[in-house]
Amino acid sequence: NMMIRGASTDAFYEFITFSRTPNNYRLQSFWDSGYKAIAQASNVINMVAEGQSEEIDSKIGECYYIRGMMYFYLCRAYGRPYYQAPDKNLGVPIVNGTPEDMDNLQLPDRSTVKQTYEQAISDLKKAAELITVNNGPAYASKGAAEAMLSRIYLYMSGTYENPNHEYAELAYNYATSVINSGDYSLLGRDEYMKSNTYKPENNPEDIFVVKRVASEFSGYDHYYGIGGMYANYGGMGWGEMYASAKYIDLLNETGRND
C-alpha cells in the first residue's frame, strides 16, 4: 500500500530494499542503543535487591522487560529466523550489565539464536512475575510482558509447511491471557478513525508504547521518526514515501478518502 519515490538519501532505504551493508549507520545506532538499554536495565537488576516492596519489585520487573524485549529485537535484526537451525545460527552476545573491568574489556562471543531467545523469554517471564503495578502503556506491565512472550513464541512457531505446535500453543495462551485480562479493548470504528490523535494513555488498545514528550525533543526528530519518511514537518523529514495509487483507489471506493 506504500510507494517510495525512487531511491532514498537515508541509510534506512537499505532496510526497505533488503540490501543491508555492514557500515550502515542505522544498524550501528540500533546495536549501540540496544546494548545501552540492556546495560542500564541489567545494572539496576544487579544492584537492587528484590523483595523490598511491591513498588520496587515492579520497577525491577520493568528492567527485565526492557532487557528481554531488546534481546528479542536485536536477535531479529542480526540473527536468522528461529526456524532455521536456532542452535547453530548466531544471535547476539549476551552481556547482562556493564563489565567491571573496562580497561581490560573482554566481551563474550555471539550466542546462538536459541540461546538469545531463551534469555529474552527468561527475562520476560521474570517481568510478568514481578510487575504488579500498572502505570499505563508508557511503562512495562504484566500485560506487556505476556504480549511480548506471545510474539516471541509466534516467531518460534515455525512455518506453514513445518509448524511447531508447542510454541504456537504458547503464543496462543499468552495472547489469550492478555485479551482476557480486561485491561485492553479494541476501539470502535468512529474512535479508531481518530486514534492517531489520542495520547497513549487514552487509547485502550495500547499495551506498550514509547511515548515522546516535549522535553526530549531534539530539534531534529522529524528526520529520525517513521513519520519523517512519509511527510515533511516544518522543513524536517524526507517525505519520500506515499500511499500507492491502488490504495487511494480503494479509499475512493469507500467514499471516505478524507
Side-chain angles (χ1 to χ4, degrees):
N1 294 334
M2 300 304 299
M3 300 289 290
I4 189 162
R5 189 189 65 215
S8 172
T9 55
D10 188 82
F12 186 75
Y13 183 66
E14 290 190 359
F15 300 162
I16 301 172
T17 57
F18 302 101
S19 57
R20 301 177 188 179
T21 55
N23 60 348
N24 185 304
Y25 75 89
R26 284 199 180 274
L27 275 177
Q28 182 67 48
S29 176
F30 179 45
W31 179 276
D32 292 345
S33 298
Y35 273 103
K36 284 180 182 178
I38 288 173
Q40 292 168 355
S42 296
N43 289 343
V44 173
I45 292 170
N46 295 335
M47 289 189 298
V48 181
E50 297 175 23
Q52 300 183 61
S53 70
E54 186 179 73
E55 181 181 12
I56 290 176
D57 279 356
S58 286
K59 294 298 183 184
I60 297 172
E62 289 183 41
C63 292
Y64 275 107
Y65 175 83
I66 294 298
R67 192 170 76 180
M69 177 181 67
M70 289 314 308
Y71 274 126
F72 175 50
Y73 284 166
L74 284 166
C75 194
R76 284 175 53 202
Y78 299 98
R80 288 186 175 276
Y82 193 86
Y83 69 88
Q84 297 179 358
D87 55 337
K88 296 179 180 178
N89 287 325
L90 295 179
V92 297
I94 295 176
V95 187
N96 291 337
T98 304
E100 294 183 5
D101 190 354
M102 295 297 293
D103 294 326
N104 301 292
L105 193 59
Q106 293 185 345
L107 295 174
D109 294 331
R110 292 171 65 181
S111 300
T112 64
V113 168
K114 184 174 186 291
Q115 290 168 332
T116 310
Y117 270 64
E118 287 174 345
Q119 175 69 55
I121 289 171
S122 174
D123 284 342
L124 290 166
K125 285 183 175 180
K126 186 71 172 179
E129 172 191 331
L130 287 175
I131 301 175
T132 56
V133 178
N134 189 342
N135 291 312
Y139 298 84
S141 64
K142 178 179 180 179
E146 290 186 337
M148 189 62 69
L149 282 165
S150 175
R151 185 168 190 173
I152 290 179
Y153 282 121
L154 181 64
Y155 272 70
M156 297 170 67
S157 64
T159 63
Y160 181 81
E161 294 79 11
N162 187 26
N164 185 306
H165 296 286
E166 177 187 355
Y167 294 143
E169 185 174 0
L170 286 168
Y172 172 87
N173 290 341
Y174 276 112
T176 301
S177 178
V178 175
I179 292 169
N180 292 341
S181 69
D183 294 329
Y184 316 100
S185 60
L186 295 177
L187 293 168
R189 185 182 188 281
D190 292 339
E191 290 77 17
Y192 183 77
M193 294 294 288
K194 54 185 177 182
S195 61
N196 63 318
T197 66
Y198 295 164
K199 294 181 178 180
E201 56 269 27
N202 296 332
N203 188 336
E205 290 191 1
D206 289 340
I207 298 175
F208 179 74
V209 301
V210 177
K211 182 178 179 179
R212 304 302 298 274
V213 294
S215 60
E216 296 177 353
F217 181 68
S218 69
Y220 298 96
D221 288 39
H222 294 318
Y223 279 117
Y224 300 110
I226 294 297
M229 300 296 293
Y230 300 95
N232 184 293
Y233 303 94
M236 293 183 287
W238 284 270
E240 295 172 334
M241 301 180 72
Y242 51 90
S244 68
K246 186 175 181 180
Y247 181 63
I248 295 297
D249 288 342
L250 288 172
L251 290 178
N252 288 333
E253 288 180 15
T254 67
R256 295 190 57 85
N257 188 5
D258 52 1

